[in-house]
Amino acid sequence: MSTTRPAIPQTARPVSVEGSGEAGGRPRVVIAVDLPEELCRTIEEAEPRVDVIRDHRLYRPRRGPADWAGDPEHVRGPEEQAAYDDMVDSADVLFSLPDVDPSALRRTADANPRLRWVQAMAAGGGSQVKAAGLDAAALKRITVTTTAGVHGRPLAEFALFGVLAGAKTLPQLTAQQREHEWSDRWEMRHLDEMTVLVVGLGGIGAACAALFSAAGAHVLGTTRSGTPVEGVDELIPADELALAAARADAIVVTLPGTAATDGLVGADVLAAAKSGVIVVNVGRGTVIDEPALVDALTSGQVGFAALDVFATEPLPTTSPLWDHPRVLVSPHTAALSSREEERIVRLFVDNLGRFLDGGELRNVVDTVEFY
């Protein structure tokens, strides 16, 4: 059911739907971003126990696939903003933070005591919840889930590309081609002779491990749980990261940004790795100590870095990473896929059934460490 409401001035846990719905009616799922109408109908048809509320006139227009935040130049008029706020404040369940904005989540959490569940659009949605600054009561009442796993394959492909770019000396090849230089031959590295350390074995890390294993690499993976992951030859306790790095020809970072992971891959880990180690980051930029990485690149301890994420985004024009000859800068675009919207809706529909049945939701944000 669409709406044309008038313009007016942590570990998985079960979620209660008691009290959901206006005046005891069916739970209201409010689409808070510009999800294509056919996918809105997919949710509606998959779960007839809810009302799916949306108004495409009120969203920030998208600039491309999965552009959940929409055009930043678009500004709603006062009546449009009031209508949008009224719509999201009627929700039992929100598909996305309103406008993908943590401050808007805080506002609607305060305004709407019925809100029980928010589906974030990011795999690392925990950082958005932390930025919202919800109080303890709101964190207890509202479950937030992420899209962890949705972006695994695209990011794993970028990680594979990044390691291959370093192993096959892409910077030297492109430089010589630019200069029309035909040099003597040199030896390149081969994946089936390399050890790849995957830092973090969540959905993205597991997808990376599968690809590197299929390519013949020996795969190490850091873990806190100790649960076996397909494609990982050796599980490494998370507190033995530097020891594992000493065996690594390539380090692939997939971790979310939390207080516990901030600067985790720092000078000590990079120094412990094999000389010329390849570094790839498809997790969060804050996990790598960027000044330490620059120093290691300059000394040659790190031979190549392929980075899709950075501590500050957009990457400042003054960052030395832009001009370093052995760095590949990707503007946080490796996960973008025209299939992302469909994958998120499939995940959401699965969780929606769990929500309505009082079951455990997948990908629940930990409200202590916010991952």
Side-chain angles (χ1 to χ4, degrees):
M1 169 168 47
S2 62
T3 181
T4 54
R5 299 173 71 86
I8 59 174
Q10 56 235 96
T11 303
R13 65 175 187 257
V15 181
S16 172
V17 296
E18 183 178 352
S20 295
E22 291 184 318
R26 301 196 308 174
R28 292 169 65 87
V29 174
V30 173
I31 310 299
V33 289
D34 194 12
L35 181 69
E37 176 60 22
E38 61 269 23
L39 291 176
C40 294
R41 290 196 297 270
T42 295
I43 299 171
E44 217 164 35
E45 293 164 3
E47 191 45 81
R49 292 178 286 177
V50 302
D51 292 330
V52 180
I53 312 300
R54 67 272 194 189
D55 190 336
H56 296 284
R57 300 170 303 175
L58 300 178
Y59 302 126
R60 291 176 178 167
R62 303 190 320 162
R63 296 160 294 177
D67 181 24
W68 303 116
D71 184 354
E73 301 298 321
H74 178 79
V75 179
R76 297 185 187 95
E79 290 188 349
E80 287 180 317
Q81 187 63 51
Y84 178 79
D85 291 345
D86 180 57
M87 180 174 71
V88 299
D89 290 352
S90 74
D92 299 292
V93 176
L94 277 176
F95 183 89
S96 178
L97 281 69
D99 292 329
V100 199
D101 182 350
S103 64
L105 174 60
R106 172 64 181 267
R107 188 207 63 77
T108 196
D110 291 342
N112 178 12
R114 285 198 328 276
L115 183 61
R116 291 292 181 271
W117 168 32
V118 177
Q119 172 66 61
M121 295 296 98
S127 61
Q128 296 176 328
V129 180
K130 184 177 182 180
L134 302 181
D135 61 28
L139 289 173
K140 183 176 180 180
R141 169 171 57 93
I142 302 168
T143 297
V144 180
T145 56
T146 74
T147 59
V150 165
H151 310 92
R153 178 68 187 207
L155 290 176
E157 290 185 3
F158 181 86
L160 180 63
F161 164 69
V163 171
L164 282 171
K168 304 305 180 185
T169 63
L170 180 63
Q172 184 174 349
L173 288 170
T174 54
Q176 290 193 186
Q177 182 174 348
R178 190 166 48 248
E179 299 300 323
H180 298 192
E181 177 187 352
W182 185 278
S183 69
D184 290 336
R185 300 165 69 191
W186 67 90
E187 185 179 3
M188 299 178 180
R189 286 186 272 184
H190 308 280
L191 273 178
D192 63 357
E193 299 173 355
M194 294 175 65
T195 294
V196 177
L197 170 60
V198 179
V199 183
L201 291 174
I204 297 169
C208 289
L211 275 187
F212 284 109
S213 178
H218 184 77
V219 179
L220 313 178
T222 62
T223 177
R224 294 194 299 178
S225 68
T227 303
V229 174
E230 186 174 355
V232 178
D233 297 296
E234 297 181 55
L235 292 173
I236 307 295
D239 59 1
E240 296 182 8
L241 177 59
L243 290 174
R247 302 169 56 194
D249 300 291
I251 299 172
V252 176
V253 177
T254 72
L255 290 172
T258 70
T261 65
D262 187 23
L264 183 66
V265 180
D268 58 338
V269 172
L270 297 174
K274 291 183 180 180
S275 179
V277 66
I278 299 163
V279 175
V280 176
N281 195 357
V282 290
R284 281 295 177 265
T286 54
V287 179
I288 294 181
D289 180 337
E290 287 181 359
L293 177 61
V294 171
D295 288 345
L297 282 159
T298 300
S299 71
Q301 174 62 14
V302 172
F304 182 77
L307 308 172
D308 185 53
V309 289
F310 301 87
T312 300
E313 296 182 1
L315 183 64
T317 57
T318 55
S319 171
L321 293 169
W322 279 112
D323 297 314
H324 199 287
R326 295 194 304 279
V327 174
L328 178 66
V329 171
S330 168
H332 204 149
T333 195
L336 190 61
S337 165
S338 59
R339 300 288 302 279
E340 177 179 331
E341 299 155 352
E342 178 187 337
R343 292 182 181 124
I344 291 175
V345 166
R346 285 203 303 267
L347 172 63
F348 179 74
V349 164
D350 177 73
N351 261 346
L352 184 56
R354 295 165 183 253
F355 172 81
L356 294 169
D357 294 334
E360 293 186 347
L361 304 190
R362 298 163 59 192
N363 297 348
V364 173
V365 169
D366 181 303
T367 56
V368 176
E369 295 191 28
F370 293 99
Y371 70 90

